[in-house]
Amino acid sequence: MEDVSALPECQLLRVPKAGNSLKECEDAGLSWFGDARADDEGRTVRPLYAAVSDGASESLLAGAWAERLVADAVESMSLGRDWWDDVDTFVVDLMERSAPRWEAYLEWYRAERDARGRPITWYEQPGLEKGAFATVVGAEVRATVPGNGRADWSWHAFALGDSCLFHVRDGVVRRAFPLEDVEGFGITPQLLGSRNHDTALVAERLQLAHGTLAPGDEVLLASDALAAWLLSPHHGHRAPGTLLAMLAELGDEPFTEWVEDQRARGLMRNDDVTLIRIRVRTEA
């Protein structure tokens, strides 16, 4: 197989709500490089999988459910090869993967609460029975190397709710998915529940998108507060992706300070923020 010499750069940045610690953040993000393999045409394929989930604060254990979802989404994408060609199978795999693991987590959570002398109370029980809820967006960024040895880059994504993917070129958003304007964030988002076993309904509501990438392009996965900022006309930046790239390269502390400043200016909602930034490198 051909070597993929210029793997993409990938960063994860998270900022909790004002006044909360990072442990209290109900967003989750995860990325993972898959192994190189040959596709049906004998070309080398090297994928990067990523997912962001935003737990609904109204539900109990929302952050833990978001962590479960990103792990299972990445795993289901990695095992599904061209998973977007059969969304029904992908959804079944994801939900059948998450359900037993969530039940195992609940057993651990109950035992841990008992061990601390703080067993589940009567008023918490209905919330646990109702389940936890979260949005989720996942993407595969893929390098495909044909016979000429030059990698072709593409992305495929799925989404349920208002966590979003952005395809950015030269700092400018070329594609926003699944929401394309800030007005969409005023609508109650679709959520995936830990007790939902209706795979057909989830497959029907799941949205898909794909695109091609050029060297230097970026794919951003963002939870809703940051996604709404990117789509808002009032932040005053012609190329908002350039600002996010600069902040991401500076690291966690400058990014956190910027988020806090945007909140103080009323330009970003006080909500958990998660960003995964994937940049396609220029090949040598």
Side-chain angles (χ1 to χ4, degrees), residues 16-251:
K17 297 182 184 73
N20 285 4
S21 68
L22 195 56
K23 288 184 179 180
E24 296 172 294
C25 181
E26 293 175 324
D27 283 1
L30 181 68
S31 62
W32 179 69
F33 282 99
D35 295 329
R37 60 176 175 81
D39 67 7
D40 294 339
E41 298 179 29
R43 301 171 301 181
T44 300
V45 170
R46 183 69 191 270
L48 167 64
Y49 307 100
V52 163
S53 180
D54 180 359
S57 298
E58 299 79 13
S59 59
L60 289 180
L61 303 178
W65 175 235
E67 293 278 1
R68 179 74 274 144
L69 273 182
V70 295
D72 293 337
V74 164
E75 190 171 356
S76 290
M77 284 190 289
S78 69
L79 296 175
R81 293 178 70 90
D82 296 344
W83 50 270
W84 52 85
D85 285 338
D86 188 351
V87 68
D88 293 331
T89 298
F90 170 71
V91 168
V92 168
D93 183 82
L94 172 61
M95 295 177 68
E96 288 185 349
R97 193 177 305 280
S98 295
R101 290 174 173 177
W102 183 248
E103 292 304 320
Y105 172 79
L106 289 180
E107 289 184 17
W108 171 87
Y109 178 73
R110 291 176 185 275
E112 192 271 341
R113 288 281 298 266
D114 288 342
R116 288 193 288 122
R118 296 184 58 191
I120 303 300
T121 62
W122 63 268
Y123 54 83
E124 291 176 299
Q125 190 60 39
L128 290 180
E129 293 175 355
K130 185 178 181 181
F133 296 84
T135 67
V136 62
V137 59
E140 176 179 337
V141 174
R142 175 181 290 190
T144 302
V145 184
N148 61 16
R150 302 289 294 182
D152 297 323
W153 293 90
S154 62
W155 60 268
H156 287 80
F158 74 90
L160 186 70
D162 56 10
S163 292
C164 294
L165 174 147
F166 299 91
H167 176 184
V168 177
R169 179 172 295 167
D170 297 325
V172 177
V173 175
R174 293 173 56 89
R175 176 76 186 275
F177 165 78
L179 300 181
E180 298 180 345
D181 55 64
V182 71
E183 286 74 19
F185 292 92
I187 302 171
T188 302
Q190 299 282 355
L191 299 169
L192 184 57
S194 61
R195 298 288 190 185
N196 186 350
H197 303 295
D198 190 342
T199 57
L201 180 61
V202 173
E204 179 183 329
R205 292 177 174 176
L206 204 72
Q207 298 185 64
L208 299 176
H210 66 90
T212 58
L213 297 161
D217 283 6
E218 298 188 4
V219 174
L220 309 178
L221 274 65
S223 52
D224 61 334
L226 181 58
W229 179 88
L230 270 161
L231 291 173
S232 296
H234 57 67
H235 49 57
H237 300 279
R238 288 186 178 181
T242 300
L243 175 61
L244 288 182
M246 179 191 70
L247 290 165
E249 288 169 4
L250 289 174

